[in-house]
Amino acid sequence: MRIDDADFPWLSGRFEAGPAYGDVRDLFARELALAERDDAGHREEWETVYGEIERRVRLVSPDGPVAGFLLHIRGDRAWFRWSDEPLGGGREAGPEG
C-alpha cells in the first residue's frame, strides 16, 4: 500500500493485493459491510469478524509490527490507523473511504 492521504488518525492509499489476500478478502468485505451498518447487534458481529482479521493479518510499520490497528479495504483503496498499544474493545470502525 502506498499512502497518499492522511486525516489524523487515519492514513489511506492505493491498495494492491498480494498473493495471500484471497484468503482474507471475504473477511474484509464482511468487516466493511458490518462497519457501515447501524442496527442493533451489528457491533458484536463486527468485533467477531475483526478479531479474525487481527488473528490472520499483521500491520507492519518501518519499525516493525504494530501492536494494534484498524484496517479497511474496498477495491483498490485501503485506510487504517495504528497504535503502539493493542486497541481492544474501544476501537471505532472508522470513517468510510
Side-chain angles (χ1 to χ4, degrees), residues 7 36 45 47 55 78 81 96:
D7 184 13
E36 293 172 340
E45 190 176 353
E47 290 278 349
R55 189 180 74 73
R81 62 187 288 178
E96 309 317 312

Side-chain angles (χ1 to χ4, degrees), residues 9-10 14 22 24-25 30 34 36-37 39-40 43 47-48 50 55-57 59 61 67-68 71 74-75 79 92 97:
W10 294 91
R14 182 170 170 82
V24 294
R25 178 186 316 266
R30 182 75 181 134
L34 288 165
E36 293 172 340
R37 282 178 38 191
D39 58 353
R43 178 70 178 194
E47 290 278 349
T48 300
Y50 203 82
R55 189 180 74 73
R56 297 174 65 180
V57 174
L59 184 66
S61 79
L71 170 63
R74 175 182 285 136
W79 58 106
E92 297 174 16

